Amino acid sequence: MRSDSISTTLCQERKRDPIEMFHSGQLIKVCAPMVRYSKLAFRTLVRKYCCDLCYTPMIVAADFVKSIKARDSEFTTNQGDCPLIVQFAANDAGILADAARIVCPYANGIDINCGCPQRWAMAEGYGACLINKPELVRDMVKQVRNHVENPRFSVSIKIRIHDDLTRTVDLCQKAEATGVSWITVHGRTVEERHQPVHYGAIKMIKENVSIPVIANGDIRSLKEAENMWQITGSDGVMAARGLLANPAMFAGYEETPLKCIRDWVDIALELGTPYMCFHQHLMYMMEKITSKQEKRIFNALSSTSAVLDYLTDHYGI
């Protein structure tokens, strides 16, 4: 667990409390936990473009607790990286509490992944299978609450919905009673991938709990985020792939501006982002602004210097 560029600050000193943000009455714009992608450099970039709250990629709690190497590689932050939520995959309340204690000085809260539909995660007892285990979710929340001394440290869950929405509402009400700070709802079932997001389901959940709800699913523009926010009555909107394609989306840009690409290059180089990650993010960002021929050339580049030369020659960056 490293701190890049600037020393980390204790979360008690962080000025922006997510709970207070959710009660502001404004749309809270959230960067989703994305495996491989929502790391420190990308979080730094989207924060420059009106993203209010960022999540880390999902981290397996057991590995994080057991291995110093895992902690150093999976969790990197700095002073400007706030407010920050660390998302964990967990199936054991004690291990999750240990992981929460480790990150508590460096983050505003943790999130329990109860929504990942990937087979490997569900086979391990992580992710979306937890929406069918409300007692385990309750125990994990309680253990974190009992073992983390900071009362402002948030504990949230990110879920998918059931086919029978009454089960989802029941899960959310039980989670609220246990002390969950807020709930993020991806408006699809475990089986659904590209089907339309069920806005009505998110609205129904919001109407049946008193804690904040973040709406999630297929947001590609600020206008879509505002539309989802208004329809569902949610307190915030979370985006994933939309932000990958356009990190300036929440600032109202329809496609990635060149300034954002320039900012990414500066941030990535300053923080020592590995080449594969550096290049992959640029491939996503430039998807809409490059021709097929340009994509073939750019995507085949194999070094940071080659990428920098290409951006200088073609875009003056």
Side-chain angles (χ1 to χ4, degrees), residues 4-23:
D4 286 321
S5 302
I6 310 169
S7 62
T8 51
T9 55
L10 296 180
C11 62
Q12 291 94 327
E13 298 170 358
R14 291 173 181 248
K15 294 179 180 178
R16 303 195 71 193
D17 187 317
I19 297 295
E20 292 176 7
M21 290 165 57
F22 287 128
H23 288 104

Side-chain angles (χ1 to χ4, degrees), residues 57-73:
M58 180 184 75
I59 299 170
V60 176
D63 296 340
F64 191 79
V65 169
K66 183 169 55 179
S67 166
I68 293 175
K69 184 178 179 181
R71 293 198 287 276
D72 286 343
S73 65

